[in-house]
């Protein structure tokens, strides 16, 4: 009886040790085999992005935007821009000016002229959510942000504040970011109140240039393309 009991205990211990060895061997295989796919949060690895707004370039504004992501939830956009000596209507031709609607959200002034270079500045804190952990290099997320834009033309300055929703698709070293923005714009013309970038309502008081400021709301689309590093 004692011999039988001792044999059973020995067999149980052997099976237990064998099971541990197999599990351990399998875990080492998973950890060390490069062919085994792993779930990777790529957005955590993407801390810095240089990007620009393709649609804005067509309208005569070349923004150079640096996006920094602190983590999967917080980040910001910031950077200067170059105001180019043309407008969207210069590209389409003069006939497009007469056909362009003048009601909200189409508040762009088709008669605005800009023949000189200028500068701009953009600041935009962002909150990210719904970041997906992907096995592939493609990751999707969303962001909501508030932003401030400043533009300095040769005959006009613009201050703009707003909010934006952005869909973000990162793939390898590139990012695709379409977004919708709603903003409030205040324009200060230097010489002629009719030569403003956006149609709007004149203020009751005059600026230091002796002209009323022109304000309006804008609803528009942005398309940022960038490089991740």
């Amino acid at each position: 009886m004692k011999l039988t009991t001792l044999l059973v205990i020995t067999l149980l211990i052997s099976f237990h040790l064998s099971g541990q060895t197999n599990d351990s061997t399998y875990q080492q295989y998973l950890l060390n085999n490069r062919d085994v796919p792993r779930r990777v949060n790529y957005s955590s690895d993407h801390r810095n992005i240089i990007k620009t707004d393709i649609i804005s370039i067509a309208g005569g504004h070349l923004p150079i935007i640096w996006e920094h992501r602190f983590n999967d939830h917080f980040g910001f956009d910031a950077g200067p821009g170059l105001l180019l000596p043309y407008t969207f209507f210069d590209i389409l031709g003069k006939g497009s000016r007469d056909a362009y609607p003048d009601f909200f959200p189409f508040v762009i002034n088709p008669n605005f002229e800009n023949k000189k270079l200028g500068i701009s500045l953009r600041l935009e804190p962002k909150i990210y959510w719904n970041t997906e952990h992907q096995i592939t290099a493609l990751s999707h997320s969303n962001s909501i942000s508030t932003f401030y834009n400043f533009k300095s033309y040769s005959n006009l300055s613009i201050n703009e504040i707003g909010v934006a929703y952005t869909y973000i698709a990162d793939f390898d070293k590139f990012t695709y970011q379409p977004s919708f923005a709603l903003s409030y714009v205040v324009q200060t013309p230097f010489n002629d109140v009719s030569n403003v970038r956006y149609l709007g309502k004149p203020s009751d008081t005059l600026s230091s240039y002796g002209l009323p400021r022109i304000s309006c709301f804008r609803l528009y689309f942005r398309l940022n393309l960038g490089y991740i590093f």
Side-chain angles (χ1 to χ4, degrees):
M1 182 66 179
K2 292 183 179 180
L3 181 61
T4 303
T5 303
L6 181 61
L7 181 61
V8 171
I9 293 174
T10 303
L11 289 174
L12 289 176
I13 293 174
S14 298
F15 283 133
H16 180 68
L17 292 176
S18 176
Q20 283 187 331
T21 302
N22 290 337
D23 288 344
S24 177
T25 302
Y26 183 66
Q27 289 174 0
Q28 290 298 319
Y29 167 77
L30 291 177
L31 290 174
N32 298 322
N33 189 350
R34 295 183 179 181
D35 295 329
V36 176
R38 295 171 174 79
R39 300 182 71 85
V40 179
N41 185 358
Y42 282 88
S43 62
S44 295
D45 298 331
H46 300 161
R47 297 301 186 188
N48 296 283
I49 296 172
I50 292 295
K51 60 187 180 181
T52 190
D53 183 354
I54 301 300
I55 295 178
S56 180
I57 294 175
H61 176 214
L62 172 61
I64 303 170
I65 307 163
W66 170 46
E67 178 181 355
H68 178 74
R69 300 175 184 175
F70 294 107
N71 50 48
D72 285 341
H73 303 291
F74 300 102
F76 68 83
D77 286 2
L82 187 63
L83 302 175
L84 306 171
Y86 65 85
T87 67
F88 181 69
F89 300 96
D90 293 329
I91 298 175
L92 294 181
K94 293 184 177 180
S96 61
R97 301 177 189 271
D98 298 330
Y100 193 79
D102 60 356
F103 53 86
F104 183 84
F106 304 98
V107 296
I108 296 177
N109 179 12
N111 298 313
F112 173 74
E113 296 287 346
N114 180 48
K115 301 302 180 183
K116 297 182 179 180
L117 295 175
I119 59 172
S120 69
L121 176 65
R122 174 173 166 180
L123 301 172
E124 185 168 355
K126 310 176 76 170
I127 297 175
Y128 307 100
W129 80 94
N130 287 349
T131 300
E132 297 181 6
H133 294 217
Q134 303 264 335
I135 294 177
T136 65
L138 178 63
S139 65
H140 305 270
S141 59
N142 305 273
S143 76
I144 189 76
S145 58
T146 60
F147 62 88
Y148 168 73
N149 285 334
F150 173 74
K151 297 178 182 177
S152 178
Y153 293 91
S154 60
N155 55 5
L156 176 73
S157 67
I158 298 176
N159 289 276
E160 178 182 18
I161 58 172
V163 295
Y165 160 76
T166 303
Y167 168 78
I168 303 170
D170 295 337
F171 183 80
D172 195 14
K173 291 295 184 179
F174 300 95
T175 183
Y176 167 78
Q177 302 181 5
S179 65
F180 290 94
L182 174 64
S183 67
Y184 178 71
V185 182
V186 177
Q187 305 167 96
T188 304
F190 302 158
N191 303 310
D192 188 348
V193 71
S194 64
N195 191 29
V196 290
R197 187 73 177 86
Y198 310 106
L199 301 172
K201 180 181 178 181
S203 63
D204 295 330
T205 59
L206 302 181
S207 69
S208 59
Y209 296 94
L211 298 173
R213 295 181 176 86
I214 308 297
S215 61
C216 67
F217 286 94
R218 293 183 65 206
L219 179 63
Y220 59 101
F221 180 71
R222 305 186 306 197
L223 180 56
N224 290 333
L225 301 179
Y227 177 77
I228 304 169
F229 64 97

